[in-house]
Amino acid sequence: MNFLTPAFLAGLAALAIPVIIHLINREKRVVVQFPSLMFLHKIPYRSIRRQKLRHLLLLLLRCLALFLFVAAFARPWFERSKHAGAGSSGAREVVILVDRSYSMGYGDRWQKALDKAREVVRAVSANDRATIVFFANEPSAATDPTADRARLENALKVAKLSSEGTRYAPAIKLASDIVAGSNLPRKDIVLISDFQKAGWAKREELSLPTGVELHPVDVSGKPGSDAAVIGITTDRTRDTTRARVVVTARIANLGPTPRTLDAVLDLGGRAVESKRVTVAASAAEQVRFMGVAVPSAATRGVVRITKDSLDADDSFFFTVAPDEAVSVLVIEPSSARPNQSLYLRTALSIGDKPRFRVDVLTPESMRSADLDRRSLIILNESAPPGGVIGTRMREVITAGAGLLVVPGEQNIDRWPAEWRALMPVTAGSVVDRSRDLGAAIGGVDYANPIFEVFSAPRSGDFSSARVFRYRSLRVQGDSGVIAKFDDGAPAMVQRAWGSGRIVVWATSMDATWTDLPVQTVFVPFVHQLGRRVGRYADSRQWFTAGDVLDLTRHAELTSPLIGAGPKAAGDSGQLVLEAPSGEKTRLSVTGTNHLATLRERGLYELRGENTPIGAGRPLAVNVDPAEADLTHLDPAELVAAASANAAARQAVEATTAPPEQQEGRQTVWWYLLLGALFLMAIETVLSNRLSRATS
Amino acid sequence: MPSAIETTSAVPGANLIDPSVLARIGNLELLARSVVDGFINGLHRAPHLGSSTDFAEHRMYMPGDDIRRVDWRLYARTDKYFIKQYEADTNTNFSVVLDVSRSMRYGASVDTGRISKLEYGAFLAACLTYFSNLQRDRVGMVTIEKDIVDYIPSSSKHLRVVLQALDRALKEGKDASAVDAKKGLVAAPTLAPPLRKLSEIYRRRSMIVVISDLYEEPDAVADAVGNLRGRGNDIMVFHLLDPTELEFPFADSSNFIDLETGEKMPVIPEYLRKQYREVVKEHVASLGKLLRDQRIDYALFDTSRPLDGALFAYLAARERLRRVR
């Protein structure tokens, strides 16, 4: 305890006054000799002793009240103890962090880790509480804080290795949160791991609450040696007859000695080629396999090398998709101007990442099948098709396809009501800006994915384009304006519709209303429109364990399933994701359950509810190649970092706030003053009662 | 003297016998004479004053009797020799039992000029003995504490011996007035053992005056004195208390030390005064009732009051005794 104005403590000398009086009175007592105490003995005891006690109580009350007054004026404040709440004895709150990343599968590390965890559990007494937390990329508490050792051991019994990598910081954070909420005097975190350097490669901040001790238990044993397939690349080539894909695997030797390995490529369940490669110590080699014809459907592939002590990274799974082009349907009126879609089609056709497959049709010539597997539909100054085709087209848009509307001379307000309901705008009249040398595109929302690539300097200049005519647009509802003309009129408006997206462009896509098509920015602009409005996502050949699959961002995965018609995906449009272990997860592209965490290594299958097993879209999931690096981290370094942060925080807590501020925050004097007043009130009541009794 | 406590009323004209004044007289005989003479002078108007020449009875002449005491007139009528006996000749044993315990030494104060209960008791004993001696009674005295301290058998020649014994008791009392705290706690003396022993000693009916502060339970006192009464003795109990014992006028909270036992007790007098007075009053009332039930005269004396009350009580008792005869 510290005092802000300790000089007031001199007032405590006043405490001596009642004590001195008391002592003086005591001195007087010694002198009275009386013939006999017989009569005094006959008087009830309380009248003598208790009166004395009451007087002593009064004295104490007065002294205590005086002390509190003085202490209040001295303005005390407490400096928080470095290890407040921590004790060297008493009940413990223990969090047992068990690393279950796939590197723990090396040798007997996993078994050793479980044995060590059981040892800690056996040391838990009835007054202690323990929590078992398994962690890899993310921590997960297997039990609540409990003293029940049977529950704890059962959690260890059913524990399994994961396919994910190691991250120490989230695990220590969770453990800190658990112990911080405990009221037990001792708080320990036991970290059982192989202490891979990769687990703390980013040097994330580690912080322990005050009074918490981190006890590392290293089960790594002797230095590990591992070889792993750390990645593959696919190159597509096209010869005169068909497209071919060449797979190149990257194989790393993370051990201290060179190793000779056999690498085998399997594609579609068939061994394509086997190659022997010698990899130097702590080095990587590329193995290029022979090209194979691009399969007609998404095909499972795997590159395997000779098994070693850690087999999780000895295989690398991937998928080869048949065609990755974005399918674009351009609908133009039968009375279209010559080359009305020329610029658009040409710009799209020269795209390679992704490639665009463009079909130009009129509403009259369209069939329902023309809408299958379309990622983007462009109404290029055309009214939407009616009837069954129109209905089917809306379904496709709702399921995730994009719609780019270029009204031009078309008046949207005259479209059928079901189409007007989709539109983010109502169209006004055509604005002619040719007299003032045309309008410019004055404002662009660079945060929008369509324009994001143009945000950097010299990445595309829209202001150089002149717009001579455009249709005025009135924004509706929750639609957003992502580009404006220089007069503030909306140039591009967008809205989401189901899983799809609808974008309206106010001017034309040829050179009649604007010279944008002849500007250099036009081609990348159209490509961006095709990519973003068409909801294109790079085809993922593999995922890493722990990644989250968001179906709304992977049209290349879902569109083949949805494009096959609602019936193929089931009446509800539900999809099923089956893990390598056989665990099934129901997902929906349009609903809220469009996310799934891919935790298992191997090949998943995404399919419609009624799709036969094996006919769905395969997804490859591999372990994090960084985890294959078994380089050891000194546990003391980890502990020191965590403890240093805790110590630094304590130091900051102690030093940053000046005493006045700390005292002001605590306001102990206020409570002391209240206490003194309370005591004085009691003293008044008591002394009045005694006075009445005396009189 | 509080009104609650009844004492023998003082005789007008005798108030000059102030104990504090008497205390200045070193000679007990002189003191007793001063008191008794003055008192008798004051009482000459009283009709019940006895005479030692009053006729009491006749008895047959026995050889050896003084022939001067033969009633010749009766001889003339009856032709028989009768000896004429007078009242003065029926002298009785008179003995004072004086408590000289430590508690009796309480009360002396140089500042206020007050005397201790022992001094007051000694003056009283001296006066009564002197007076009795004047009446030709045989006088004796016993001082008691835990046991009999000093025993002077009753005799017509023992006045001076009694007075010397009283003087000695006073001197010893002054020398040992302070309590020796190092002695620790001791049991308080009781009246019963010495009085029981006295009852064995007194073979002849006596008039016994017990002077004590009676710090015992009334039952115990009545039992102890009752022993003597049972032997046919006439008993008068003079209960001496200092004014402070009656009033409890102490102001400061103090440690009270029992003069008899050495026991200590922290006391806040202001809270106890009322209860103390009530307890004393009950004690006195109870003593008076129990003793009077046994036809024992009891009187409470405030040691700050004159000695005439005690003398008057004595004489009243003598008168009653004479009437009974």
Side-chain angles (χ1 to χ4, degrees):
Chain A
M1 180 188 280
N2 300 309
F3 294 95
L4 207 60
T5 52
F8 276 103
L9 291 177
L12 286 176
L15 284 177
I17 296 169
V19 176
I20 289 169
I21 292 170
H22 178 74
L23 289 175
I24 290 169
N25 284 338
R26 268 189 69 186
E27 200 58 37
K28 281 182 181 175
R29 284 180 189 159
V30 181
V31 298
V32 177
Q33 294 184 341
F34 205 63
S36 174
L37 302 181
M38 187 181 87
F39 298 141
L40 294 174
H41 279 302
K42 288 183 177 178
I43 297 170
Y45 176 80
R46 61 180 176 83
S47 299
I48 305 168
R49 302 270 178 177
R50 197 168 294 173
Q51 295 289 0
K52 179 190 171 195
L53 287 177
R54 284 182 185 175
H55 275 269
L56 278 178
L57 182 64
L58 275 180
L59 175 71
L60 283 175
L61 281 174
R62 286 164 185 163
C63 288
L64 190 58
L66 188 61
F67 171 79
L68 291 180
F69 269 123
V70 172
F73 276 94
R75 297 177 69 185
W77 56 280
F78 294 95
E79 196 168 7
R80 297 195 185 282
S81 170
K82 185 177 180 181
H83 290 293
S88 57
S89 62
R92 286 193 311 158
E93 182 75 49
V94 188
V95 177
I96 307 167
L97 290 173
V98 184
D99 183 356
R100 63 166 178 173
S101 63
Y102 80 83
S103 66
M104 291 291 286
Y106 183 87
D108 60 348
R109 288 178 179 180
W110 178 238
Q111 193 53 47
K112 280 161 68 177
L114 292 178
D115 291 343
K116 291 288 184 186
R118 287 191 184 99
E119 280 180 25
V120 178
V121 167
R122 279 194 288 273
V124 172
S125 71
N127 295 327
D128 298 343
R129 281 201 303 257
T131 310
I132 292 181
V133 175
F134 294 106
F135 73 96
N137 272 343
E138 294 171 3
S140 166
T143 64
D144 293 329
T146 178
D148 186 353
R149 284 188 289 196
R151 278 184 62 195
L152 296 168
E153 291 192 359
N154 194 48
L156 292 172
K157 198 180 291 180
V158 298
K160 287 180 181 173
L161 276 175
S162 92
S163 298
E164 299 175 25
T166 310
R167 283 177 68 205
Y168 291 110
I172 292 174
K173 176 72 171 64
L174 176 62
S176 300
D177 290 346
I178 292 172
V179 295
S182 170
N183 55 2
L184 297 183
R186 295 172 58 196
K187 296 168 183 176
D188 294 329
I189 298 173
V190 181
L191 175 58
I192 304 171
S193 172
D194 55 359
F195 290 97
Q196 276 183 278
K197 211 164 193 172
W200 197 39
K202 294 179 182 175
R203 299 276 162 174
E204 295 128 310
E205 185 182 353
L206 303 172
S207 81
L208 292 176
T210 51
V212 178
E213 291 185 16
L214 178 63
H215 306 278
V217 178
D218 189 357
V219 293
S220 61
K222 60 183 179 182
S225 165
D226 184 34
V229 184
I230 57 174
I232 61 114
T233 55
T234 56
D235 292 322
R236 289 170 188 257
T237 58
R238 183 173 288 274
D239 57 18
T240 52
T241 54
R242 60 187 304 180
R244 302 185 77 82
V245 62
V246 176
V247 177
T248 303
R250 187 169 175 81
I251 298 168
N253 175 17
L254 301 162
T257 55
R259 296 181 68 174
T260 301
L261 301 163
D262 290 325
V264 179
L265 169 65
D266 279 2
L267 205 58
R270 185 175 61 87
V272 174
E273 191 181 11
S274 175
K275 281 192 169 183
R276 177 158 292 188
V277 60
T278 300
V279 188
S282 302
E285 287 289 337
Q286 284 191 343
V287 178
R288 186 180 177 87
F289 294 98
M290 59 185 284
V292 292
V294 174
S296 58
T299 303
R300 299 162 174 81
V302 58
V303 173
R304 294 189 177 86
I305 59 170
T306 309
K307 286 187 178 298
D308 55 17
S309 298
L310 184 59
D311 60 357
D313 55 6
D314 294 338
S315 304
F316 198 95
F317 300 91
F318 60 96
T319 56
V320 178
D323 189 357
E324 295 174 340
V326 176
S327 178
V328 181
L329 173 62
V330 179
I331 301 172
E332 62 179 20
S334 53
S335 58
R337 297 185 298 274
N339 300 323
Q340 183 170 309
S341 302
L342 176 65
Y343 292 95
L344 193 59
R345 189 177 67 241
T346 306
L348 288 171
S349 62
I350 60 174
D352 59 347
K353 286 185 179 179
R355 290 189 299 109
F356 294 95
R357 192 180 67 242
V358 183
D359 296 310
V360 180
L361 296 173
T362 62
E364 293 78 15
S365 63
M366 278 179 64
R367 290 173 300 145
S368 183
D370 292 330
L371 295 168
D372 290 350
R373 300 186 179 182
R374 293 294 181 183
S375 296
L376 176 61
I377 300 167
I378 301 173
L379 287 172
N380 190 13
E381 300 186 34
S382 167
V388 177
I389 297 174
T391 304
R392 171 69 182 140
M393 187 170 153
R394 288 194 295 275
E395 287 175 357
V396 169
I397 294 166
T398 305
L403 174 65
L404 174 62
V405 179
V406 183
E409 297 292 350
Q410 285 286 323
N411 191 344
I412 295 174
D413 295 344
R414 293 178 186 167
W415 287 2
E418 61 270 23
W419 282 105
R420 291 203 304 272
L422 262 65
M423 292 297 111
V425 295
T426 55
S429 57
V430 175
V431 178
D432 189 349
R433 296 285 299 274
S434 55
R435 291 179 184 174
D436 53 357
L437 300 176
I441 297 174
V444 170
D445 180 8
Y446 288 111
N448 190 280
I450 296 173
F451 296 103
E452 191 178 8
V453 296
F454 305 111
S455 61
R458 295 180 292 280
S459 299
D461 183 12
F462 285 92
S463 61
S464 59
R466 296 287 100 184
V467 178
F468 304 105
R469 298 184 76 187
Y470 61 85
R471 184 166 284 278
S472 66
L473 304 174
R474 291 187 292 275
V475 181
Q476 292 205 102
D478 57 349
S479 307
V481 178
I482 54 177
K484 292 177 181 175
F485 294 114
D486 53 6
D487 60 355
M492 184 173 275
V493 181
Q494 71 163 6
R495 78 176 297 186
W497 182 263
S499 297
R501 187 179 301 276
I502 300 170
V503 174
V504 179
W505 177 241
T507 186
S508 67
M509 277 291 177
D510 64 359
T512 55
W513 283 18
T514 175
D515 63 356
L516 180 64
V518 297
Q519 300 291 328
T520 54
V521 77
F522 181 73
V523 172
F525 171 60
V526 171
H527 284 180
Q528 277 298 100
L529 277 175
R531 188 180 286 121
R532 298 304 176 192
V533 182
R535 305 187 71 80
Y536 171 79
D538 290 335
S539 178
R540 291 285 293 268
Q541 290 181 303
W542 73 86
F543 293 84
T544 301
D547 283 352
V548 175
L549 173 66
D550 183 353
L551 289 185
T552 60
R553 292 180 175 274
H554 290 282
E556 82 281 5
L557 300 178
T558 57
S559 59
L561 303 170
I562 295 168
K567 287 181 181 175
D571 291 338
S572 60
Q574 293 283 315
L575 298 174
V576 174
L577 181 68
E578 184 173 340
S581 64
E583 184 185 348
K584 293 175 183 172
T585 308
R586 290 184 178 279
L587 297 172
S588 169
V589 177
T590 56
T592 54
N593 56 336
H594 55 89
L595 299 173
T597 304
L598 305 170
R599 297 197 181 279
E600 295 181 31
R601 163 182 161 271
L603 288 160
Y604 284 73
E605 184 179 350
L606 182 67
R607 59 175 183 265
E609 277 189 323
N610 299 327
T611 309
I613 295 172
R617 175 67 160 85
L619 277 75
V621 178
N622 293 294
V623 295
D624 185 353
E627 187 72 7
D629 184 0
L630 299 178
T631 308
H632 192 247
L633 168 72
D634 186 359
E637 191 181 346
L638 199 68
V639 174
S643 304
N645 284 339
R649 189 173 59 254
Q650 286 159 10
V652 167
E653 282 172 0
T655 56
T656 49
E660 291 82 2
Q661 197 175 334
Q662 292 193 48
E663 191 274 338
R665 223 181 285 150
Q666 295 173 6
T667 59
V668 179
W669 67 270
W670 176 245
Y671 298 103
L672 292 174
L673 207 58
L674 280 179
L677 291 172
F678 180 67
L679 288 178
M680 290 306 290
I682 293 177
E683 191 273 339
T684 304
V685 172
L686 196 59
S687 58
N688 281 341
R689 284 191 176 182
L690 286 177
S691 296
R692 276 200 295 273
T694 307
S695 60
Chain B
M1 178 80 70
S3 60
I5 298 173
E6 293 176 8
T7 59
T8 308
S9 54
V11 176
N15 288 337
L16 293 173
I17 311 168
D18 189 331
S20 58
V21 177
L22 292 175
R24 296 178 201 141
I25 303 173
N27 191 310
L28 273 177
E29 186 179 355
L30 179 60
L31 180 147
R33 190 185 299 154
S34 308
V35 173
V36 173
D37 289 350
F39 185 72
I40 289 171
N41 290 337
L43 287 178
H44 277 171
R45 288 169 295 166
H48 302 298
L49 181 64
S51 167
S52 61
T53 57
D54 285 351
F55 170 76
E57 61 185 358
H58 286 101
R59 70 172 172 81
M60 291 299 290
Y61 172 78
M62 299 293 289
D65 286 337
D66 189 351
I67 58 169
R68 286 178 298 180
R69 296 178 64 183
V70 175
D71 189 345
W72 297 111
R73 289 182 183 177
L74 190 60
Y75 173 74
R77 290 201 299 270
T78 62
D79 199 22
K80 290 181 181 175
Y81 294 106
F82 285 93
I83 295 296
K84 199 174 184 179
Q85 287 192 321
Y86 295 88
E87 187 72 29
D89 293 336
T90 61
N91 52 358
T92 184
N93 284 355
F94 174 83
S95 185
V96 175
V97 178
L98 178 63
D99 181 0
V100 293
S101 63
R102 286 177 178 273
S103 62
M104 286 293 286
R105 296 166 193 165
Y106 176 77
S109 169
V110 177
D111 298 337
T112 60
R114 283 212 321 269
I115 57 172
S116 70
K117 289 187 285 182
L118 181 60
E119 288 172 304
Y120 191 94
F123 295 167
L124 191 56
C127 291
L128 292 173
T129 303
Y130 183 80
F131 193 83
S132 296
N133 191 251
L134 284 181
Q135 302 291 327
R136 307 228 181 130
D137 290 336
R138 288 186 286 273
V139 295
M141 192 195 74
V142 181
T143 54
I144 58 169
E145 195 173 355
K146 290 177 185 174
D147 200 350
I148 293 172
V149 178
D150 206 353
Y151 170 65
I152 298 157
S154 299
S155 167
S156 58
K157 299 173 183 175
H158 277 177
L159 173 63
R160 287 186 177 277
V161 181
V162 169
L163 295 177
Q164 281 172 358
L166 286 173
D167 203 31
R168 192 166 56 245
L170 281 178
K171 199 173 182 182
E172 287 172 1
K174 282 180 181 171
D175 291 345
S177 59
V179 175
D180 188 353
K182 290 179 182 176
K183 282 184 178 177
L185 297 181
V186 295
T190 57
L191 286 172
L195 292 190
R196 191 177 296 116
K197 202 175 278 184
L198 277 180
S199 67
E200 300 298 326
I201 293 170
Y202 290 138
R203 297 186 177 278
R204 189 178 170 184
R205 284 182 61 191
S206 303
M207 185 170 188
I208 300 170
V209 176
V210 179
I211 301 171
S212 171
D213 52 8
L214 300 179
Y215 272 114
E216 273 188 79
E217 290 302 322
D219 291 340
V221 173
D223 286 347
V225 182
N227 265 333
L228 288 174
R229 179 71 184 125
R231 296 273 179 168
N233 298 306
D234 287 312
I235 314 291
M236 288 197 292
V237 176
F238 290 170
H239 188 185
L240 303 188
L241 287 177
D242 189 82
T244 57
E245 292 175 272
L246 292 166
E247 296 291 331
F248 207 65
F250 306 100
D252 299 323
S253 56
S254 314
N255 263 332
F256 276 59
I257 301 174
D258 192 322
L259 282 171
E260 299 278 16
T261 63
E263 181 191 357
K264 291 180 182 176
M265 180 186 283
V267 171
I268 304 169
E270 56 183 317
Y271 297 126
L272 302 180
R273 190 171 296 118
K274 187 179 174 186
Q275 289 161 294
Y276 178 89
R277 287 174 181 172
E278 286 172 0
V279 170
V280 171
K281 186 180 171 186
E282 281 176 20
H283 181 76
V284 168
S286 182
L287 273 175
K289 182 178 183 303
L290 287 173
L291 293 175
R292 284 175 194 128
D293 286 348
Q294 298 186 53
R295 302 189 65 191
I296 297 169
D297 291 315
Y298 167 80
L300 171 67
F301 290 95
D302 179 345
T303 58
S304 63
R305 302 298 297 272
L307 287 166
D308 60 338
L311 293 175
F312 182 82
Y314 168 72
L315 291 176
R318 290 284 298 177
E319 178 61 19
R320 188 172 63 248
L321 195 64
R322 192 183 66 80
R323 281 183 190 169
V324 170
R325 284 184 193 130

